[in-house]
Amino acid sequence: MNAHPISAPVRTYRAVEIGGMSAILDPSGALYWEEHETLVAADLHLEKGSSFARRRTFLPPYDSQATLARLADVVARFSPKRIVALGDSFHDRTAGERLSEASGRVVRTLAGRADFVWVTGNHDPEPPTDWGGRVVPEIVIGGVCFRHEPSLGPVTVPEVAGHLHPVARVSGRGKSVRCRCFVGCGMRAVMPAFGAYTGGLDIRHSAFHGLWPRRSDVRAFLLGRDQVYAVGPDRLFA
Amino acid sequence: MIAPTSEPTRDDAALLPEPFAGWFLSRGWTPRPHQLDLLAHARSGRSALLIAPTGAGKTLAGFLPSLIDLAAEKKRRNALSREGPHTLYISPLKALAVDIARNLEAPVAEMGLPVSVETRTGDTPVNRRQRQKRVPPDILLTTPEQVALLLADRQAERFFSELKVVIFDELHALVTSKRGDLLALGLAGLRRHAPALRTVGLSATVADPNGLRAWLVPQEDPGEPRLSEVVQVAGGARPDIRIITAEDRIPWAGHSARWALPAVYEAIKAHGTTLVFVNTRSQAEMLFHELWRINEDTLPIALHHGSLDRTQRRKVEAAMAENRLRAVVCTSTLDLGIDWGDVDLVIHVGAPKGASRLAQRIGRANHRFDEPSQAILVPANRFEVLECRAALDANYIGAQDTPPIRDGALDVLAQHVLGAACAAPFDADELHREVTTAFPYRAVDRATFDKVIGFVATGGYALRAYERFAKIRQMPDGRWRLAHPSVGQRYRMNVGTIVEAPLVKIRLVGRGKAGLLSGRGRVLGEIEEYFIETMSPGDSFMFSGQVLRFEAMREQEVLVTKARDDTPKIPVYAGGKFPLSTYLADGVRGLLADEASWERLPDQVREWLSVQRLRSVLPTRGELLVETFPRANRHYMVAYPFEGRLAHQTLGMLLTRRLERFGAKPMGFVASDYALGIWALEDMGALFSGGRLPVDALFEEDLLGDDLDAWLAESYLLKRTFRACAVVSHLIERRHPGKEKTGRQVTVSTDLIYDVLREHEPDHLLMRATWDDAAAGLLDIHRLGEMLSRIRGRIVHKRLERVSPLAVPILLDIGKESVGGEADESILADAGEALIEEAMR
């Protein structure tokens, strides 16, 4: 009988060409650009759970904790010099006030060990900086523009955005699986939402239509449990 | 409703006053003993359970005491308007309530009784519901959900102040579900307003009448339950049931019953009106389609199942009532006793899955109590032949097998507590005491109850984050009140326990000249969204009796066109929804073991079993047979527990985990109602005989320990169950004032909520409710546990050179069915290329 492995498995990642760069896509939904030692996570939607309480819907108030624990984990794995939260980091304007002390400490720790960049989003046009970090409307790194909402129309500068919470569905074996994904073509990529309570929008939805010059160029990277799977347009739009 | 009897049984004229006695006489009837028994119990204010087969005049027996009482009451105080109904009648089906109202009209009119009878269901217009509160009828016919709503009304105390009798129809069908839990709590609530009320339960024959008897009366402590009176009517004429005979070969596996179609058609032709029952919607579709293919005489044959558009269903029902149809192919939507038309024959396709179910369905063939029902069973494969045979034996000896009443669900209790607050502020001690008088909730301790209150108030999390927004609050005097009227409004919109899978409408459209889809067309019905999600445009499938081509999804509707091909590309099979009942399982095992009984089986099946005995072995009744054999580069293990698909599926998950640990490299498994097959890269037979993993150790009872927990945590089954619990407990509300939300549009996916809650507060009330539900309903863990302990030391392992006859059916199922949930990652792997390769240090 095989002994159970004592040490945790070490993963070998492969970088892919997306949105004008060669980056590693992590199954957590974050992206790591090794060349610039930059880690990006989109749409954390902190305190989304507690935002429902005003309507007397009491979702488990642990989503921020869960989201930040996952972020801390991926940061520990890649040790980036820069962390970009790509907008909608806070679910609403008062989310910062509701964030627990413990969760605040996690943010403070992350912001203390790297250049923490809060990109503004439609949910958080003024993200709180109580726990550190700096706020920018968008940021250009290595010739790639990181912004919350994808710009409309064709791009001249490669672009990485969030906002749309892409999910893809693939079927096989008489079943289908729906999961969060990175989706993009050569010049533009949309990242999956990172937050624990963030759902998704099917990449076949019209909101994605204007983003790619040709559908045949689109590739998606689906987040499995411990792996990311690259899927081509023939399976995505079948 | 009433049939003539020959023998006058007792001289109890006093029990049946005028005009009732005269009315019976005028129709040439004598009151039946059970009707008089119920009258006697009613007179002394005792609650009673009436157990009787279909057609025994159950309903009139239930209402007779109320009618007599009301007639006398009206004499005493004429024309005084009442505060609320005298009698509540509660049925599981809206249609049944309407049907009963019609049936009561005759005696009330013929005797000129000054008694008003009205129905109140979800379909009753709002203005009539309002009026019913102001001017209540004497007898109100309604559903469990309406009872909950009426109880949550601020006028509840007044409205139920005159309530004397509550009649529960089809009680056996009600009590085993969450609806039954809600109703049990409702009954406890009704007693608060009318402490002297008496209950009448009407039930088909059941295995454990004491469960129902206890359900009907208030319980005092968790010890020995208090019981109601019981009146039992012996079975009517013995039904005349046979298993179909046909020339064709009986298939090894499958569920289509295609082999017997010509014989089924001949039977339809030979009878006036036939009901053809099947177990699933897709079976109904398939059979209907196939029957029409051979319907040379163009007999009027119709289709009826729950997914069809309501107007279409109503049409079929009306045609049936007018005796215009020769046959209806239908699912369980017609199970319960709605009375329409004369049915001459019931054909049951597929295994009957439980003797009670079979008895009920066959009861449909005849509402004339004293004539034998005619029924034909159509097994779809060889194992089903055995099951049908066992069921036949069961029906003859009257064995019944409804599941025992289990402990009340906590999510339902949460809904009830909120409802209580909607009516009036409540005292936690008092409400707890009241709740524990309900039989399913008799063991709920105070700590659990407080947790439920905490859950209702603010979600009940260890992290107290939501106090400011509580739904209910404690007043200075300690009682709990609603925090805001809007909470009550939302409660009313979301009351109930039926959580359906999200459905989408199917619209049949045409193609224009340019090949464009027209937007208009007829709605054919509704189908589960998950089913559509597995399809690609161009795929064809069967629905409402036709082969349809999936074209597109548009705004939550599925657009389809008529397909040109005759055979659908996507075979739909969702069989095995109902587990084989314990009794039938035992019957099938008995049949296998007892060669003398084989003479009652068709030749082909007998031969099949004989060859099995030659090549392998047939287990005795108490044994579990486990076969291992190689086949096409793989090694197989097949076990035959006959415990039903759910239990086998759970067992399969657990065994493969254990086999994995012992290096057998299992590749997959398949579960049917009868057997479980596992295939692996290593020879499991060698593993068992070599002593490394004795077969007894593989099936050891500790299987249900850690492995189960570990597997379940990841399982989609629990997520699906959690969703239902979240909805029933009103953590998630499906409907909000001003907008109708479908199940799908809850803004945060319950799967995500489940993941977060499991990680951060695994002992939360909802996780407990979810686990209880899954263990009982989805996984059949209880049954699996009993099986494991039953077979301890009685496992027969047979190492074979090749596949045995008994193993063929399960091997044929491989590839047709995949195990839910586990396949997700493999679908992804099939579709794409993995970007991370794992390496071991």
Side-chain angles (χ1 to χ4, degrees), chain B residues 427-445:
Chain B
D427 176 87
D429 290 326
E430 277 170 27
L431 189 59
H432 175 244
R433 216 172 300 127
E434 177 186 302
V435 158
T436 54
T437 64
F439 180 63
Y441 291 94
R442 66 199 180 282
V444 170
D445 58 43

PDB file of all heavy atoms in Angstrom, chain B residues 427-445:
ATOM      1  N   ASP B 427     -43.917  33.367  23.393  1.00  0.00           N
ATOM      2  CA  ASP B 427     -43.029  33.073  24.493  1.00  0.00           C
ATOM      3  C   ASP B 427     -42.263  31.803  24.128  1.00  0.00           C
ATOM      4  O   ASP B 427     -42.866  30.801  23.752  1.00  0.00           O
ATOM      5  CB  ASP B 427     -43.857  32.864  25.762  1.00  0.00           C
ATOM      6  CG  ASP B 427     -42.995  32.453  26.938  1.00  0.00           C
ATOM      7  OD1 ASP B 427     -42.489  33.363  27.614  1.00  0.00           O
ATOM      8  OD2 ASP B 427     -42.808  31.233  27.151  1.00  0.00           O
ATOM      9  N   ALA B 428     -40.950  31.853  24.229  1.00  0.00           N
ATOM     10  CA  ALA B 428     -40.132  30.732  23.757  1.00  0.00           C
ATOM     11  C   ALA B 428     -40.455  29.442  24.510  1.00  0.00           C
ATOM     12  O   ALA B 428     -40.520  28.370  23.913  1.00  0.00           O
ATOM     13  CB  ALA B 428     -38.647  31.065  23.879  1.00  0.00           C
ATOM     14  N   ASP B 429     -40.666  29.533  25.816  1.00  0.00           N
ATOM     15  CA  ASP B 429     -41.006  28.329  26.587  1.00  0.00           C
ATOM     16  C   ASP B 429     -42.284  27.693  26.070  1.00  0.00           C
ATOM     17  O   ASP B 429     -42.359  26.487  25.839  1.00  0.00           O
ATOM     18  CB  ASP B 429     -41.218  28.670  28.074  1.00  0.00           C
ATOM     19  CG  ASP B 429     -39.918  29.048  28.743  1.00  0.00           C
ATOM     20  OD1 ASP B 429     -38.875  28.474  28.358  1.00  0.00           O
ATOM     21  OD2 ASP B 429     -39.942  29.926  29.623  1.00  0.00           O
ATOM     22  N   GLU B 430     -43.298  28.561  25.917  1.00  0.00           N
ATOM     23  CA  GLU B 430     -44.596  28.049  25.477  1.00  0.00           C
ATOM     24  C   GLU B 430     -44.517  27.437  24.087  1.00  0.00           C
ATOM     25  O   GLU B 430     -45.054  26.357  23.834  1.00  0.00           O
ATOM     26  CB  GLU B 430     -45.640  29.167  25.462  1.00  0.00           C
ATOM     27  CG  GLU B 430     -46.263  29.434  26.817  1.00  0.00           C
ATOM     28  CD  GLU B 430     -47.101  30.708  26.800  1.00  0.00           C
ATOM     29  OE1 GLU B 430     -47.610  31.070  25.701  1.00  0.00           O
ATOM     30  OE2 GLU B 430     -47.226  31.328  27.866  1.00  0.00           O
ATOM     31  N   LEU B 431     -43.858  28.150  23.185  1.00  0.00           N
ATOM     32  CA  LEU B 431     -43.791  27.644  21.809  1.00  0.00           C
ATOM     33  C   LEU B 431     -43.001  26.338  21.757  1.00  0.00           C
ATOM     34  O   LEU B 431     -43.350  25.417  21.022  1.00  0.00           O
ATOM     35  CB  LEU B 431     -43.185  28.694  20.875  1.00  0.00           C
ATOM     36  CG  LEU B 431     -43.279  28.352  19.384  1.00  0.00           C
ATOM     37  CD1 LEU B 431     -44.720  28.175  18.940  1.00  0.00           C
ATOM     38  CD2 LEU B 431     -42.607  29.424  18.520  1.00  0.00           C
ATOM     39  N   HIS B 432     -41.954  26.263  22.559  1.00  0.00           N
ATOM     40  CA  HIS B 432     -41.175  25.025  22.588  1.00  0.00           C
ATOM     41  C   HIS B 432     -42.051  23.862  23.057  1.00  0.00           C
ATOM     42  O   HIS B 432     -42.057  22.789  22.466  1.00  0.00           O
ATOM     43  CB  HIS B 432     -39.960  25.177  23.506  1.00  0.00           C
ATOM     44  CG  HIS B 432     -39.194  23.889  23.668  1.00  0.00           C
ATOM     45  ND1 HIS B 432     -39.072  23.232  24.869  1.00  0.00           N
ATOM     46  CD2 HIS B 432     -38.544  23.115  22.756  1.00  0.00           C
ATOM     47  CE1 HIS B 432     -38.382  22.113  24.702  1.00  0.00           C
ATOM     48  NE2 HIS B 432     -38.035  22.023  23.425  1.00  0.00           N
ATOM     49  N   ARG B 433     -42.823  24.107  24.115  1.00  0.00           N
ATOM     50  CA  ARG B 433     -43.705  23.068  24.632  1.00  0.00           C
ATOM     51  C   ARG B 433     -44.692  22.643  23.542  1.00  0.00           C
ATOM     52  O   ARG B 433     -44.941  21.470  23.319  1.00  0.00           O
ATOM     53  CB  ARG B 433     -44.457  23.597  25.861  1.00  0.00           C
ATOM     54  CG  ARG B 433     -44.677  22.547  26.941  1.00  0.00           C
ATOM     55  CD  ARG B 433     -45.261  23.178  28.210  1.00  0.00           C
ATOM     56  NE  ARG B 433     -44.413  24.191  28.795  1.00  0.00           N
ATOM     57  CZ  ARG B 433     -44.815  25.445  29.102  1.00  0.00           C
ATOM     58  NH1 ARG B 433     -46.053  25.824  28.856  1.00  0.00           N
ATOM     59  NH2 ARG B 433     -43.979  26.295  29.631  1.00  0.00           N
ATOM     60  N   GLU B 434     -45.238  23.638  22.858  1.00  0.00           N
ATOM     61  CA  GLU B 434     -46.228  23.345  21.817  1.00  0.00           C
ATOM     62  C   GLU B 434     -45.606  22.523  20.682  1.00  0.00           C
ATOM     63  O   GLU B 434     -46.183  21.546  20.213  1.00  0.00           O
ATOM     64  CB  GLU B 434     -46.782  24.660  21.270  1.00  0.00           C
ATOM     65  CG  GLU B 434     -47.759  24.495  20.131  1.00  0.00           C
ATOM     66  CD  GLU B 434     -48.150  25.833  19.543  1.00  0.00           C
ATOM     67  OE1 GLU B 434     -48.666  26.683  20.292  1.00  0.00           O
ATOM     68  OE2 GLU B 434     -47.917  26.044  18.332  1.00  0.00           O
ATOM     69  N   VAL B 435     -44.424  22.935  20.270  1.00  0.00           N
ATOM     70  CA  VAL B 435     -43.755  22.255  19.156  1.00  0.00           C
ATOM     71  C   VAL B 435     -43.500  20.788  19.495  1.00  0.00           C
ATOM     72  O   VAL B 435     -43.670  19.902  18.656  1.00  0.00           O
ATOM     73  CB  VAL B 435     -42.438  23.000  18.830  1.00  0.00           C
ATOM     74  CG1 VAL B 435     -41.475  22.093  18.097  1.00  0.00           C
ATOM     75  CG2 VAL B 435     -42.733  24.248  18.021  1.00  0.00           C
ATOM     76  N   THR B 436     -43.134  20.520  20.738  1.00  0.00           N
ATOM     77  CA  THR B 436     -42.813  19.137  21.089  1.00  0.00           C
ATOM     78  C   THR B 436     -44.063  18.269  21.243  1.00  0.00           C
ATOM     79  O   THR B 436     -43.945  17.056  21.406  1.00  0.00           O
ATOM     80  CB  THR B 436     -41.988  19.058  22.391  1.00  0.00           C
ATOM     81  OG1 THR B 436     -42.688  19.765  23.419  1.00  0.00           O
ATOM     82  CG2 THR B 436     -40.616  19.635  22.192  1.00  0.00           C
ATOM     83  N   THR B 437     -45.257  18.864  21.151  1.00  0.00           N
ATOM     84  CA  THR B 437     -46.451  18.013  21.113  1.00  0.00           C
ATOM     85  C   THR B 437     -46.632  17.414  19.724  1.00  0.00           C
ATOM     86  O   THR B 437     -47.357  16.448  19.551  1.00  0.00           O
ATOM     87  CB  THR B 437     -47.740  18.781  21.478  1.00  0.00           C
ATOM     88  OG1 THR B 437     -47.974  19.790  20.493  1.00  0.00           O
ATOM     89  CG2 THR B 437     -47.658  19.393  22.857  1.00  0.00           C
ATOM     90  N   ALA B 438     -45.984  17.991  18.731  1.00  0.00           N
ATOM     91  CA  ALA B 438     -46.047  17.438  17.371  1.00  0.00           C
ATOM     92  C   ALA B 438     -45.147  16.203  17.326  1.00  0.00           C
ATOM     93  O   ALA B 438     -43.973  16.281  17.689  1.00  0.00           O
ATOM     94  CB  ALA B 438     -45.591  18.472  16.354  1.00  0.00           C
ATOM     95  N   PHE B 439     -45.697  15.097  16.864  1.00  0.00           N
ATOM     96  CA  PHE B 439     -44.971  13.832  16.928  1.00  0.00           C
ATOM     97  C   PHE B 439     -43.558  13.897  16.335  1.00  0.00           C
ATOM     98  O   PHE B 439     -42.602  13.458  16.972  1.00  0.00           O
ATOM     99  CB  PHE B 439     -45.807  12.727  16.272  1.00  0.00           C
ATOM    100  CG  PHE B 439     -45.154  11.385  16.273  1.00  0.00           C
ATOM    101  CD1 PHE B 439     -44.858  10.749  17.475  1.00  0.00           C
ATOM    102  CD2 PHE B 439     -44.833  10.747  15.091  1.00  0.00           C
ATOM    103  CE1 PHE B 439     -44.258   9.498  17.495  1.00  0.00           C
ATOM    104  CE2 PHE B 439     -44.233   9.501  15.101  1.00  0.00           C
ATOM    105  CZ  PHE B 439     -43.938   8.874  16.300  1.00  0.00           C
ATOM    106  N   PRO B 440     -43.374  14.466  15.136  1.00  0.00           N
ATOM    107  CA  PRO B 440     -42.014  14.456  14.578  1.00  0.00           C
ATOM    108  C   PRO B 440     -41.035  15.324  15.373  1.00  0.00           C
ATOM    109  O   PRO B 440     -39.829  15.175  15.240  1.00  0.00           O
ATOM    110  CB  PRO B 440     -42.193  15.036  13.160  1.00  0.00           C
ATOM    111  CG  PRO B 440     -43.651  14.959  12.881  1.00  0.00           C
ATOM    112  CD  PRO B 440     -44.346  15.043  14.191  1.00  0.00           C
ATOM    113  N   TYR B 441     -41.548  16.237  16.187  1.00  0.00           N
ATOM    114  CA  TYR B 441     -40.670  17.167  16.904  1.00  0.00           C
ATOM    115  C   TYR B 441     -40.651  16.905  18.409  1.00  0.00           C
ATOM    116  O   TYR B 441     -40.232  17.744  19.181  1.00  0.00           O
ATOM    117  CB  TYR B 441     -41.116  18.610  16.627  1.00  0.00           C
ATOM    118  CG  TYR B 441     -40.846  19.014  15.201  1.00  0.00           C
ATOM    119  CD1 TYR B 441     -41.812  18.883  14.228  1.00  0.00           C
ATOM    120  CD2 TYR B 441     -39.588  19.507  14.834  1.00  0.00           C
ATOM    121  CE1 TYR B 441     -41.556  19.221  12.903  1.00  0.00           C
ATOM    122  CE2 TYR B 441     -39.325  19.857  13.521  1.00  0.00           C
ATOM    123  CZ  TYR B 441     -40.313  19.713  12.557  1.00  0.00           C
ATOM    124  OH  TYR B 441     -40.045  20.059  11.261  1.00  0.00           O
ATOM    125  N   ARG B 442     -41.132  15.717  18.818  1.00  0.00           N
ATOM    126  CA  ARG B 442     -41.273  15.475  20.250  1.00  0.00           C
ATOM    127  C   ARG B 442     -39.937  15.481  20.973  1.00  0.00           C
ATOM    128  O   ARG B 442     -39.867  15.711  22.173  1.00  0.00           O
ATOM    129  CB  ARG B 442     -41.995  14.146  20.489  1.00  0.00           C
ATOM    130  CG  ARG B 442     -41.199  12.924  20.022  1.00  0.00           C
ATOM    131  CD  ARG B 442     -42.113  11.731  19.854  1.00  0.00           C
ATOM    132  NE  ARG B 442     -41.377  10.543  19.417  1.00  0.00           N
ATOM    133  CZ  ARG B 442     -40.970  10.335  18.157  1.00  0.00           C
ATOM    134  NH1 ARG B 442     -41.217  11.246  17.229  1.00  0.00           N
ATOM    135  NH2 ARG B 442     -40.320   9.244  17.825  1.00  0.00           N
ATOM    136  N   ALA B 443     -38.848  15.221  20.232  1.00  0.00           N
ATOM    137  CA  ALA B 443     -37.551  15.106  20.906  1.00  0.00           C
ATOM    138  C   ALA B 443     -36.686  16.366  20.780  1.00  0.00           C
ATOM    139  O   ALA B 443     -35.524  16.363  21.166  1.00  0.00           O
ATOM    140  CB  ALA B 443     -36.798  13.901  20.356  1.00  0.00           C
ATOM    141  N   VAL B 444     -37.252  17.448  20.256  1.00  0.00           N
ATOM    142  CA  VAL B 444     -36.444  18.667  20.097  1.00  0.00           C
ATOM    143  C   VAL B 444     -36.161  19.269  21.469  1.00  0.00           C
ATOM    144  O   VAL B 444     -37.092  19.628  22.197  1.00  0.00           O
ATOM    145  CB  VAL B 444     -37.186  19.701  19.213  1.00  0.00           C
ATOM    146  CG1 VAL B 444     -36.471  21.037  19.237  1.00  0.00           C
ATOM    147  CG2 VAL B 444     -37.311  19.181  17.797  1.00  0.00           C
ATOM    148  N   ASP B 445     -34.901  19.340  21.841  1.00  0.00           N
ATOM    149  CA  ASP B 445     -34.597  19.874  23.170  1.00  0.00           C
ATOM    150  C   ASP B 445     -34.556  21.402  23.141  1.00  0.00           C
ATOM    151  O   ASP B 445     -34.547  22.026  22.089  1.00  0.00           O
ATOM    152  CB  ASP B 445     -33.290  19.287  23.711  1.00  0.00           C
ATOM    153  CG  ASP B 445     -32.129  19.575  22.784  1.00  0.00           C
ATOM    154  OD1 ASP B 445     -32.020  20.718  22.292  1.00  0.00           O
ATOM    155  OD2 ASP B 445     -31.333  18.648  22.508  1.00  0.00           O
TER     156      ASP B 445
END
